[in-house]
Amino acid sequence: MFIGRKYELSVLEETYNKPGFQMTVVYGRRRVGKSRLITEFIKGKKASYYVASKTSIEDNVKKWSSQVVTDLAPNMVGLSIDNLEGFFRFVGNLAEKEKIVLALDEIPYIAESDESFLSRFQVAVDTIFATKNIHLIICGSAISFMEKEILSEKSPLFGRRTNQIFLRPFNYLESAEFVPHYSAEDKAVVYGVTGGVAKYLTLFDDNRSLDDSLISNFFTTSGYLFEEPINLLTQEFRTINTYNTVIEMCAGGANKVNEIANKAHITTATLSYVLKSLNTVGIISKVTPMTEKENRKRSVYEVTDSMYRFWYSFIPNARAAIEMHRGDVYYNNYVKNKIHSFMGKVFEDMCRHYTLLQGLDGNLNCLVTNVGSWWGPGHDRMPTDIDVVGIDDANNKAVLGECKFKNEVIDKEVYEALMDRRGLIDKRYEEVEYMLFSLSGFSKWVKENADPDRVRMVTLEDLYDPLTDVLIEPRCHVFNC
């Protein structure tokens, strides 16, 4: 069953329907669903899909040509081509009369095995493919490689692509489609512990309890996610010890460069390189307060991939119990009661997404086009924060919000705390609306005293309103060249 990605499929279909040679670059983090997207797109088309191997270019050419023959010229099965240029000419001949799709997945594997590959590929594009009816799709999971070697101006393939798709994890609404029978709270937790990554979402079965799924995936030695972050780091980086330590420090609450460097026992120069690399693959991000993007002193680093944050929060300390096959005991006695605390940041992210959707739909008191959070000194000069800050830059208006993922209603204290934060963000923004987001609802006092024209009360169920259009913010970036 293929879920979501309607926008991305429409982009690929539109590109496919253009006459002549077209080239799409698809890239994104591992497990996000790139291969599944491509294989879904090529259904019913004259197409060939090949996943490169970490072997020599000669071996890949043989395997690739064999796959193309099987897919596009089955009457020639047994034909073996071991010359790259000969293979490209063969593909060009196959596209003389009708449109074909040629998809190459994990292109970095071939390019890294032979430094001449990309230049030879470029020559084939210019001299053979350019005059043929071919939709070429090249795909890769190594984001830094794809950006530097495929998309940058220094790449031999620069300027040849029609468009590119940077595929991102699913948002919380799309993630819910994988577990439709779960409650809204359980859907939110699934989104939180998977980070919206397609492969991880498929591991959760809403015919089982959420607790059982969490235990079987994270807290057993055979669980798919038990070693997943370490496996991914090993695939991305040659040595992972420093990367592992930095993620662990950030997940534990360290968020300033000097603080992380001291706790990880590394230099700030080394840390800067590590943070940049982790940011590229989407694990850690540099975050600044809304309305103060230029204030570097306020910037912090956070583990924004929530699957990593969940794993580093609980699995390292549970390893002994898991390896003794008592992971369920550890989960039930230690982790289960901390899920709501872990979900605090995830819920804030969901609420920010909801605020942006509502703003773009015209359902707020201003047209919110950018959303984030804010932190800094309060009116009493003590540190404080605002969970949701939605900005209407065109009209200098703002929406502020507070989020609580707890088994208790939002009462007078939380309401007044949000009201006390009025006027803290940049003075050029007029605050036109306030939002309270709650897992468990609102007290009678809040319902009776909140100004209905200025204060909006939103429950978790409201965030999953089926009328919400999940396609307003596609989880990819598409660039047409």
Side-chain angles (χ1 to χ4, degrees):
M1 182 177 178
F2 186 78
I3 295 175
R5 305 302 190 195
K6 294 178 182 178
Y7 178 79
E8 296 87 336
L9 283 173
S10 70
V11 170
L12 289 170
E13 287 290 348
E14 181 180 337
T15 306
Y16 173 79
N17 289 326
K18 292 179 180 179
F21 174 74
Q22 309 296 331
M23 174 175 160
T24 299
V25 178
V26 179
Y27 70 114
R29 60 156 294 168
R30 299 181 192 280
R31 318 287 199 259
V32 80
K34 302 180 299 299
S35 302
R36 187 70 177 87
L37 170 66
I38 295 171
T39 55
E40 181 70 17
F41 163 67
I42 64 176
K43 285 182 178 178
K45 298 178 175 64
K46 187 171 183 181
S48 181
Y49 170 75
Y50 173 68
V51 182
S53 305
K54 287 186 176 181
T55 56
S56 68
I57 188 170
E58 292 80 12
D59 182 63
N60 271 293
V61 171
K62 288 181 181 179
K63 292 177 179 176
W64 193 4
S65 62
S66 176
Q67 186 68 59
V68 168
V69 168
T70 300
D71 294 334
L72 303 178
N75 59 317
M76 302 175 70
V77 168
L79 174 67
S80 177
I81 303 173
D82 56 11
N83 175 268
L84 185 62
E85 282 71 23
F87 168 65
F88 288 142
R89 287 193 295 271
F90 176 74
V91 171
N93 291 334
L94 292 174
E96 288 286 356
K97 296 182 179 180
E98 58 183 316
K99 185 70 166 273
I100 68 170
V101 180
L102 182 69
L104 172 61
D105 202 347
E106 294 300 358
I107 188 174
Y109 291 166
I110 302 182
E112 290 174 344
S113 70
D114 189 312
E115 61 182 18
S116 71
F117 173 75
L118 292 180
S119 295
R120 296 162 73 184
F121 203 175
Q122 173 245 311
V123 171
V125 168
D126 292 347
T127 62
I128 302 174
F129 295 173
T131 60
K132 307 297 182 181
N133 210 13
I134 295 175
H135 185 185
L136 173 65
I137 301 174
I138 57 178
C139 179
S141 301
I143 296 175
S144 59
F145 179 94
M146 296 298 291
E147 292 179 341
K148 293 177 182 178
E149 306 298 332
I150 304 297
L151 300 172
S152 76
E153 294 182 3
K154 296 180 180 180
S155 169
L157 294 173
F158 181 76
R160 276 77 180 175
R161 68 189 185 276
T162 306
N163 48 33
Q164 65 195 51
I165 297 175
F166 180 32
L167 201 63
R168 296 181 179 274
F170 289 111
N171 62 45
Y172 77 90
L173 289 166
E174 296 163 328
S175 297
E177 296 183 42
F178 287 81
V179 284
H181 299 113
Y182 271 166
S183 66
E185 182 176 346
D186 286 354
K187 289 175 181 176
V189 173
V190 170
Y191 169 69
V193 301
T194 63
V197 173
K199 174 60 182 178
Y200 309 152
L201 287 166
T202 65
L203 303 174
F204 286 78
D205 179 358
D206 56 13
N207 290 314
R208 303 175 61 188
S209 73
L210 177 60
D211 290 334
D212 285 347
S213 289
L214 287 170
I215 291 169
S216 64
N217 284 306
F218 283 100
F219 296 92
T220 63
T221 54
S222 60
Y224 187 94
L225 297 170
F226 173 53
E227 296 280 10
E228 178 68 355
I230 301 302
N231 292 337
L232 290 178
L233 290 177
T234 302
Q235 293 179 57
E236 291 289 344
F237 309 111
R238 293 179 180 177
T239 56
I240 69 167
N241 290 344
T242 302
Y243 293 91
N244 181 57
T245 301
V246 169
I247 299 171
E248 189 173 358
M249 295 303 102
C250 287
N255 58 20
K256 292 283 190 177
V257 169
N258 288 336
E259 182 184 12
I260 300 170
N262 289 336
K263 290 188 175 182
H265 303 294
I266 58 177
T267 65
T268 55
T270 299
L271 177 61
S272 295
Y273 177 82
V274 171
L275 289 173
K276 183 179 180 180
S277 300
L278 291 172
N279 179 72
T280 298
V281 298
I283 299 173
I284 287 180
S285 298
K286 184 179 182 179
V287 186
T288 54
M290 286 294 292
T291 75
E292 297 187 34
K293 295 299 183 182
E294 303 303 319
N295 190 342
R296 295 183 178 180
K297 294 181 180 179
R298 293 276 188 90
S299 298
V300 298
Y301 290 89
E302 295 181 349
V303 180
T304 46
D305 184 312
S306 58
M307 188 280 287
Y308 275 83
R309 191 162 56 82
F310 181 82
W311 194 94
Y312 278 88
S313 296
F314 300 114
I315 302 304
N317 291 333
R319 186 172 292 275
I322 294 170
E323 291 177 350
M324 293 183 68
H325 307 296
R326 296 294 186 274
D328 57 335
V329 175
Y330 186 92
Y331 172 83
N332 286 314
N333 286 276
Y334 182 75
V335 179
K336 187 172 182 177
N337 293 332
K338 297 182 182 295
I339 292 291
H340 279 178
S341 176
F342 162 79
M343 282 295 297
K345 286 186 177 295
V346 177
F347 188 49
E348 291 172 14
D349 174 68
M350 293 168 60
C351 295
R352 286 189 282 267
H353 185 94
Y354 173 87
T355 300
L356 182 59
L357 289 176
Q358 292 295 305
L360 293 172
D361 263 353
N363 295 329
L364 301 180
N365 291 342
C366 62
L367 181 63
V368 172
T369 56
N370 200 5
V371 67
S373 57
W374 183 94
W375 57 93
H379 294 300
D380 58 0
R381 311 310 299 170
M382 296 296 291
T384 190
D385 62 85
I386 304 173
D387 298 334
V388 177
V389 178
I391 295 297
D392 176 353
D393 283 307
N395 300 295
N396 289 337
K397 294 182 179 181
V399 173
L400 308 185
E402 181 76 7
C403 314
K404 297 296 179 185
F405 198 87
K406 296 182 177 180
N407 283 328
E408 56 189 48
V409 297
I410 284 183
D411 204 350
K412 177 181 178 182
E413 182 180 354
V414 175
Y415 171 82
E416 290 183 339
L418 177 60
M419 295 300 104
D420 287 343
R421 292 175 173 84
R422 289 179 292 185
L424 289 179
I425 66 171
D426 194 304
K427 302 302 184 204
R428 72 177 183 271
Y429 294 102
E430 176 191 0
E431 298 169 9
V432 296
E433 192 165 1
Y434 303 92
M435 306 180 75
L436 293 167
F437 298 91
S438 175
L439 167 65
S440 303
F442 307 89
S443 70
K444 180 180 179 182
W445 185 95
V446 172
K447 292 178 181 179
E448 291 177 347
N449 289 274
D451 181 351
D453 296 324
R454 299 268 289 177
V455 179
R456 181 178 304 224
M457 290 172 276
V458 184
T459 65
L460 180 62
E461 284 73 19
D462 293 330
L463 265 67
Y464 284 102
D465 187 333
L467 297 179
T468 301
D469 183 357
V470 301
L471 293 180
I472 281 189
E473 187 192 10
R475 300 308 288 168
C476 73
H477 287 169
V478 177
F479 303 89
N480 291 302
C481 304

